[in-house]
Amino acid sequence: MNTPRGQVHEIPADEVFSLLRSRETGLHDLEVILRQREVGLNELQRPSGLRWAKALARHFINFFSLLLDFAAVACFVAEGIQAGEVMAMLGWALLTVSVMNAVFAFFQEMRAERAMDELRKFLPHHVSVRRSGQEQRIPAEQIVPGDLVLLREGDRVPADGRLVTCEDLLLNNAPLTGESRSQPMTTNAVSGRLADSPNVAFAGCSVLRGSGAAVVFATGHRTEFGKIAALSRDVRRPPSPIERETSRMIRVLTVIAAAMGTMFFAYGVAAWRSVWINLVFMLGIIVANVPEGLLPTMTLALSMASLRMARKQVLVRSLDAVESLGAMHVICTDKTGTLTRNELTISSIVSPAGDELTAESEPFGAVLKIALSASEVRARPAAGPGEPLAGQVMVPQWSGDPLDVAVADRWGQLHGDLTEIMASTRRHFPFDLQKRREAGLYQGRTETLFAVKGAWEALRPLIRFVTDETCGTAAVATAERLAAADVVVHRLSGQGCRLIAVASRQLPEFPDPACREELLEEALVLRGFLALEDPVRAEVPAAVARCHSAGIRVLMVTGDHPDTAMAIARQCGILMADRPAEAQLMQGAELETMREPQLVARLRENVTVFARTTPEQKMKIVTALKRLGCVVGMTGDGVNDAPALKAADVGIAMGLSGTDVAREAADIVLLDDNFASIVAGIEEGRSVFANIRKFTTYVLASNIPEIVPFLTFIVLPVPLALTVIQILSIDLGTDLLPAIGLGQEPPEGEVMDRPPRKLSERLLSFPLMAEAYLFLGLIQAVWSLVMFFIVLVHGGWQWGQELSSDDPLYRSATGITLATVVLMQVANVVGRRSEQSSGLDMGLCRNSLIMFGTAVELMFAWAVLYYPPLQKFLGTGSVPWQMAALAAIGVPLLFGLDLARKKWFRPLTTS
C-alpha cells in the first residue's frame, strides 16, 4: 500500500480518512490482514544473522593473521617431519596470537552494531487502536497503514500518523529531532516539510500531555524513524586513524617477513640444505620479523588509557577512539547540554522600556505572578530522601512544558509555595501553536486577571497599554512605546536570550465558562518580558580556547535560532575575532540547497556556526569536512544523530541526556555531557599516540637481534644463536610488560600547545624504523652475537664446527645470547621514555609498570642462565658469572650510545 506521504500534512483533518482509505470507526479485520500482507509488520528491518560470522571471518583473513596461520601450519608440518622439536607447541602459540588479535578486533567492531537493537526499544510493545468501532490493545508490530491509533499521556507513538483529533496534545520529539523542546500538536493543515509538521505524530516520540487520535500512513522502515534506522545501519564506520596506521604497519612487516622467509628458504634449497633446516630457518625469519606481541600490547595500552579517560568523565566504547580523539582536527559540537547546561532558567525580567527589574521589586513579582497564572505545571515528589534542614526552603519539582517549569521554579525560589496561585488559576488556555501563546484566568481575593504569555510577535497586535515604570500605571501603547519594546526584544535576543512577553487584563468579574479566549484578549497591558536562557557551562570558554591553541577547529551545529546560536558561540569563544560574525554563520535552509563542493568552499572560508540545521545535515557537514582531509569529531544525543555519529571519525554521545541509540552508535560517551570533557579526552589521546610510537620502537628494536642469528646461520658455517621458541619468549614474554608501561607514560611537554598530527604522519615511519632497526636493533644484534661467539670460543668451538641442539656448549651460547638481548631491552625501555633526554630524569619510580617490567626482565635473564626448569624449556645452559657480567655491559653500552644520538644526531631521525 503506497500512502501519499507528501500530501498527508497539507490537507484538512476531515479529508485524511478518505486519502488513507480509512474511517472514524477504524479498519475491519479483513482490511488489516490484506494490508499486513502488502506492507509487512510494523518493525525495523533486521540485518542478516550472518553478518556476525562474516565480520569475524574478515578479521581472520588479514595479512597479519594469515601470516601467523601459515607459520603455525608450517610448524605442525615440521613437527610431523621431525617430532620432539617443540614445533607443535610453537604452532599452537602462533595460532593463539592469531585468534586473540582477530577476536579483539571483532568485538571492537561489533559493539557499535548493537545500535539497531537499541533503535527497536523506542517502539512500544502494545498500543491502543480503534478497529471495527471498538478500542483494542494490540502488539505494536501489527499496526498497518490506515489504523486509527489512540494516543494518551505517557504513550509512545508506534508509527507515523496524521492527527485527526487532539486535545491539549504535547509530544516529545527529542528522540527524532534531537531538540529537547516539546511540540504542541494541532489537527490543522500546514505546509512545509513533513518532518516539521505539528499535525503528524512520528514513531518513537512520546506523549507528554493530552490525548489525540492519528491515522497511520507509514509503518516499519517507511517511517521517519525507520529511515534513520536504515541510514544508521547502512553507514559504514570509517577506519580510525590508528586502525589505518596499524593496518599499514602490519602490511609492511608482513611483506618484509614473507619476502625474507621465502627468499632464504629458496637460498637453502639451492644450497642443498635439508627440508627440516629450511623450514626452521623460514619460520625463524617470519617469527623474528613479526612482532607477535605488538597488537595485544596496543590493545592493553588503549584499554588502560580508556580507564584513565573514564576518570575524566569520558567513557570509551571503541578502543581505537582513544587515539582518534588526539588526532582530531575539527569538533562539531551541539549547543544544548554540551556547551550549555540544558537548564532553561529565567535570567532576568525586564520592563517594556528595557530596564532590568530587581527580584525584590513589586513589578518583578507582578510579572512573574502573571506568567505563572498563564502556565500549567504539575507537582512531583522531590528527588532524594530526607527532610529539609532547619531554615531551608523545600522547593518542589515540577513537570510540564520547560517554559512553565522555569517560571514555577523561579517563583518557588523566591516564595516557596505555589499552592495559592495554582488554586486561584481557575481556567487554563493551553498553548496554541497558531497563536503562539497560552493564557489563564486568575481569581484572587481582590482581583480577577486574564493573564497571557507568549511570543512578542504574537502579542504585539493585542497590546493597547504599556506599563509605565515612572508613574506605575498603564500608558497608552503608542507607536513609540511599541518600537521601544521592539528594540528591547531585538537586543536581548542578540544576547542569546529567549524572550517571552507577559501581558494581562483586569476583569470586573470572573467570566462565563463559555466565554471564548478571543473575547478576553482585548485591551491587553504589556507588563514586561521574561528573558530565559540556557547558561553556558562555566568551564566551556577555557576548553574552547585550549582547542584553538591546540590547532583544533570548533564548529557549533545546532537546530536553534541563528541569534541564539551566534550569542552562545560568542560567549564560548567559538567565533573568530578576525572575521565578520555574519560570514561565520550558515543556516540550515542555505545548507539544504548546497552541493558538497560549495559547502567545502564555505568551510574553507571558516564557517563556524550552523543554525537551524537538521540532524540529516550533520552527515553532509561530516562528509564535507572529510573531503578537506580532516579527522572529524561529531557530538549528538538523539536517535537521528546516529548516522552522523557513525560516519564521523569520532562519534561523541551524551551520557546524561543522550538516547541509547546515540550512545550505541558513538565511540565516546560523555558521562557529564560536558564539552570540557572532550578536551580532556583529546589531551589523553595525543599522549597515547606518542606512547604507541615509543613502545613500537621498543618492540621492533628486538627484531634485529632475532633476525641476524638466522642470517648468519644460513650464510656462515656457524650454529644458530637463537631458536624460534627463544624468540617468542621475548616477543610474547619479556617485552610485553615494559611495552605496556611505555603506553602509560605522561606526555612530554604541553601536548595541547601543538597542532594535531597530519594524516600523512605515519606510525611506522622511516625515521622510526631507522631508529629501531638500524641503530638500537643493530647495537643489540652485534653485542649479543659477540657474547655468543665469546662463549663458543671459550668452550673450545672451532670455526665451521656443527653443534647439536642438546650440546651443553651450544645451550650455554644460546642462553647468553638470549640473556644479552633481554638485558639490553632494559636500557632500551628506559631510553624510549623520552625523545630528547635519557629517560632517567623522568623518574623510574613514577611508572610502576616499567619498574615491574624491568625487574621481570632482569629475573628472566638470570633464570635463562641459572634456573634449570626454564633452561630445559628454552634449551639454554649456564655460563660463568664473569660471562654474565660481560653480557650486562650491553646495558650501559646501548644506553650511552642512544643518549649520544639524542644529543648529537637527533635531527637525522626526526620525522
Side-chain angles (χ1 to χ4, degrees):
M1 176 181 178
N2 296 318
T3 54
R5 296 169 59 91
Q7 307 173 29
V8 72
H9 63 295
E10 300 174 345
I11 62 173
D14 54 8
E15 298 179 15
V16 172
F17 289 107
S18 60
L19 178 69
L20 299 178
R21 291 185 287 166
S22 184
R23 61 190 68 84
E24 293 186 14
T25 56
L27 300 176
H28 297 304
D29 292 342
L30 180 60
E31 290 176 306
V32 172
I33 294 172
L34 293 175
R35 296 187 186 190
Q36 199 168 85
R37 288 178 181 174
E38 183 179 353
V39 301
L41 294 175
N42 177 39
E43 61 181 8
L44 302 179
Q45 288 182 330
R46 296 179 181 269
S48 169
L50 294 176
R51 67 191 177 108
W52 301 90
K54 291 177 180 178
L56 182 59
R58 186 172 64 253
H59 291 295
F60 275 105
I61 57 175
N62 61 47
F63 277 95
F64 187 75
S65 293
L66 289 176
L67 181 66
L68 292 178
D69 294 342
F70 171 76
V73 170
C75 287
F76 295 133
V77 172
E79 181 72 16
I81 296 174
Q82 188 169 340
E85 298 290 340
V86 300
M87 297 304 290
M89 184 175 61
L90 173 59
W92 288 116
L94 293 173
L95 277 181
T96 300
V97 174
S98 174
V99 171
M100 284 177 57
N101 285 320
V103 171
F104 277 152
F106 169 74
F107 276 110
Q108 288 308 311
E109 179 179 332
M110 286 298 105
R111 289 174 84 181
E113 294 301 322
R114 295 206 309 270
M116 283 301 299
D117 298 328
E118 292 297 330
L119 277 165
R120 296 186 183 93
K121 294 180 182 178
F122 271 85
L123 298 180
H125 297 296
H126 288 81
V127 294
S128 297
V129 298
R130 186 178 297 143
R131 288 179 177 173
S132 302
Q134 300 293 322
E135 181 176 339
Q136 302 177 23
R137 191 78 175 165
I138 64 171
E141 60 266 21
Q142 295 182 9
I143 293 287
V144 296
D147 259 325
L148 185 63
V149 177
L150 307 179
L151 302 175
R152 299 183 179 89
E153 184 173 333
D155 288 348
R156 198 180 291 272
V157 183
D160 290 356
R162 170 64 160 87
L163 288 169
V164 289
T165 64
C166 70
E167 182 177 346
D168 193 20
L169 186 61
L170 194 69
L171 293 188
N172 174 22
N173 287 341
L176 188 69
T177 65
E179 292 296 325
S180 58
R181 290 183 182 176
S182 52
Q183 173 67 60
M185 306 305 290
T186 180
T187 60
N188 298 330
V190 296
S191 58
R193 296 195 322 151
L194 176 70
D196 298 330
S197 302
N199 58 12
V200 174
F202 293 104
C205 300
S206 55
V207 180
L208 295 177
R209 188 178 70 201
S211 60
V215 182
V216 173
F217 62 84
T219 59
H221 64 276
R222 298 175 182 85
T223 63
E224 293 297 310
F225 200 85
K227 290 179 181 178
I228 295 171
L231 186 59
S232 178
R233 183 184 64 245
D234 295 339
V235 172
R236 296 266 62 86
R237 186 181 298 280
S240 67
I242 194 64
E243 279 182 308
R244 292 193 291 266
E245 288 306 304
T246 303
S247 298
R248 177 182 174 275
M249 178 179 68
I250 290 172
R251 288 196 301 271
V252 170
L253 296 178
T254 300
V255 169
I256 292 174
M260 290 185 66
T262 304
M263 181 175 62
F264 284 99
F265 182 85
Y267 178 86
V269 171
W272 299 99
R273 293 179 181 266
S274 68
V275 174
W276 164 256
I277 291 177
N278 285 332
L279 272 177
V280 171
F281 178 74
M282 181 182 68
L283 291 174
I285 287 290
I286 292 175
V287 171
N289 266 290
V290 176
E292 293 85 2
L294 183 58
L295 292 188
T297 300
M298 191 175 296
T299 301
L300 289 172
L302 291 173
S303 298
M304 296 181 76
S306 71
L307 293 177
R308 294 195 301 273
M309 292 172 70
R311 291 194 287 268
K312 300 177 181 178
Q313 302 299 310
V314 180
L315 178 65
V316 178
R317 297 191 63 258
S318 172
L319 289 183
D320 294 329
V322 174
E323 189 279 329
S324 299
L325 270 176
M328 279 198 307
H329 300 99
V330 182
I331 303 175
C332 298
T333 177
D334 193 12
K335 176 186 72 68
T336 306
T338 310
L339 299 175
T340 64
R341 294 192 304 204
N342 196 21
E343 299 173 359
L344 191 63
T345 59
I346 298 177
S347 59
S348 63
I349 297 180
V350 297
S351 69
D355 299 321
E356 184 172 344
L357 304 176
T358 61
E360 298 79 14
S361 66
E362 182 180 346
F364 185 100
V367 173
L368 194 59
K369 177 181 177 181
I370 293 169
L372 185 58
S373 300
S375 303
E376 184 179 30
V377 293
R378 291 178 296 278
R380 62 185 181 193
E387 298 295 328
L389 299 175
Q392 179 184 3
V393 177
M394 192 66 175
V395 180
Q397 294 181 332
W398 305 97
S399 63
D401 185 88
L403 171 60
D404 294 350
V405 171
V407 173
D409 284 343
R410 192 73 177 101
W411 180 272
Q413 291 168 9
L414 295 176
H415 306 287
D417 189 16
L418 276 69
T419 306
E420 181 181 350
I421 292 182
M422 292 175 65
S424 300
T425 303
R426 296 177 53 188
R427 184 178 175 187
H428 180 256
F429 300 93
F431 182 84
D432 188 292
L433 187 65
Q434 303 297 324
K435 294 180 179 180
R436 299 173 64 192
R437 57 184 180 268
E438 66 178 321
L441 280 169
Y442 171 83
Q443 187 174 37
R445 295 188 182 91
T446 59
E447 61 179 352
T448 301
L449 286 176
F450 173 70
V452 60
K453 73 178 192 297
W456 169 238
E457 297 85 351
L459 285 183
R460 192 181 192 280
L462 306 176
I463 299 300
R464 295 293 178 268
F465 301 94
V466 176
T467 298
D468 189 341
E469 288 183 82
T470 58
C471 58
T473 59
V476 176
T478 61
E480 291 77 11
R481 288 192 172 96
L482 291 177
D486 292 336
V487 172
V488 173
V489 171
H490 182 73
R491 174 172 58 84
L492 292 176
S493 297
Q495 296 174 5
C497 295
R498 179 183 175 190
L499 266 291
I500 299 296
V502 178
S504 65
R505 176 188 173 191
Q506 194 86 24
L507 299 176
E509 60 183 10
F510 195 84
D512 186 273
C515 180
R516 292 184 295 114
E517 182 181 359
E518 290 80 3
L519 299 177
L520 301 172
E521 292 176 338
E522 300 174 354
L524 293 179
V525 181
L526 178 63
R527 305 298 297 267
F529 297 98
L530 305 180
L532 299 106
E533 65 177 2
D534 182 4
V536 171
R537 293 178 181 269
E539 60 274 21
V540 163
V544 171
R546 291 194 73 194
C547 285
H548 289 161
S549 66
I552 301 171
R553 187 174 171 189
V554 180
L555 305 182
M556 180 196 291
V557 184
T558 179
D560 271 352
H561 190 278
D563 289 344
T564 304
M566 292 295 283
I568 297 298
R570 193 173 291 109
Q571 293 176 41
C572 295
I574 292 176
L575 294 180
M576 291 175 288
D578 58 344
R579 290 183 61 81
E582 296 75 14
Q584 301 180 56
L585 171 68
M586 180 181 291
Q587 296 194 44
E590 181 184 1
L591 179 60
E592 185 74 27
T593 60
M594 273 190 172
R595 296 183 179 273
E596 187 175 291
Q598 295 172 303
L599 179 56
V600 169
R602 287 295 305 274
L603 286 168
R604 282 200 182 99
E605 296 171 3
N606 294 320
V607 171
T608 55
V609 177
F610 292 88
R612 291 297 192 205
T613 56
T614 64
E616 292 79 9
Q617 291 171 340
K618 286 186 175 183
M619 282 277 289
K620 195 172 184 178
I621 296 170
V622 168
T623 305
L625 288 168
K626 286 190 170 184
R627 188 62 61 90
L628 286 171
C630 298
V631 176
V632 184
M634 172 67 74
T635 69
D637 54 9
V639 170
N640 52 357
D641 289 327
L645 291 174
K646 288 188 70 175
D649 295 289
V650 186
I652 306 169
M654 304 298 111
L656 296 177
S657 61
T659 61
D660 288 341
V661 179
R663 287 193 286 267
E664 287 297 322
D667 307 289
I668 299 290
V669 177
L670 300 183
L671 299 179
D672 57 358
D673 291 8
N674 195 335
F675 180 85
S677 297
I678 301 177
V679 180
I682 292 172
E683 186 172 11
E684 187 69 45
R686 290 192 172 187
S687 302
V688 164
F689 184 76
N691 289 341
I692 289 176
R693 297 191 70 165
K694 290 177 182 179
F695 67 67
T696 300
T697 306
Y698 168 78
V699 169
L700 293 182
S702 61
N703 281 9
I704 297 302
E706 294 170 355
I707 295 170
V708 170
F710 286 88
L711 300 182
T712 57
F713 172 70
I714 197 68
V715 174
L716 300 175
V718 297
L720 182 61
L722 277 179
T723 65
V724 176
I725 199 71
Q726 291 169 355
I727 290 172
L728 284 179
S729 72
I730 299 174
D731 292 351
L732 296 177
T734 58
D735 273 358
L736 286 182
L737 277 177
I740 296 172
L742 286 172
Q744 315 311 308
E745 283 291 286
E748 279 192 272
E750 181 50 65
V751 293
M752 295 301 285
D753 286 340
R754 296 174 240 162
R757 66 181 178 86
K758 298 178 181 177
L759 287 178
S760 58
E761 184 178 344
R762 301 298 184 193
L763 174 60
L764 192 66
S765 61
F766 177 77
L768 185 147
M769 294 182 71
E771 182 178 338
Y773 287 162
L774 302 181
F775 183 74
L776 299 169
L778 198 56
I779 296 172
Q780 291 188 36
V782 169
W783 187 247
S784 60
L785 283 181
V786 166
M787 293 306 305
F788 176 71
F789 287 114
I790 287 176
V791 171
L792 284 179
V793 172
H794 185 266
W797 174 79
Q798 300 293 322
W799 183 264
Q801 178 184 349
E802 291 188 4
L803 298 175
S804 64
S805 60
D806 57 355
D807 189 300
L809 177 59
Y810 174 72
R811 294 170 71 95
S812 296
T814 58
I816 198 66
T817 306
L818 176 58
T820 302
V821 174
V822 172
L823 286 172
M824 296 183 78
Q825 282 290 80
V826 172
N828 186 14
V829 72
V830 174
R832 300 290 62 75
R833 298 187 69 194
S834 174
E835 296 181 358
Q836 290 87 27
S837 63
S838 67
L840 289 174
D841 54 345
M842 300 184 70
L844 285 177
C845 296
R846 293 180 185 173
N847 193 321
S848 57
L849 267 176
I850 288 183
M851 285 290 293
F852 183 63
T854 53
V856 169
E857 286 181 315
L858 292 173
M859 288 190 298
F860 182 84
W862 172 85
V864 162
L865 298 175
Y866 304 111
Y867 185 59
L870 187 61
Q871 288 176 314
K872 181 179 179 181
F873 179 74
L874 295 176
T876 61
S878 302
V879 297
W881 69 267
Q882 294 89 344
M883 290 292 182
L886 186 60
I889 292 178
V891 176
L893 175 66
L894 179 66
F895 185 81
L897 292 174
D898 186 32
L899 182 59
R901 177 193 61 83
K902 292 177 182 178
K903 298 298 184 184
W904 299 333
F905 302 107
R906 182 65 194 164
L908 297 179
T909 57
T910 304
S911 56

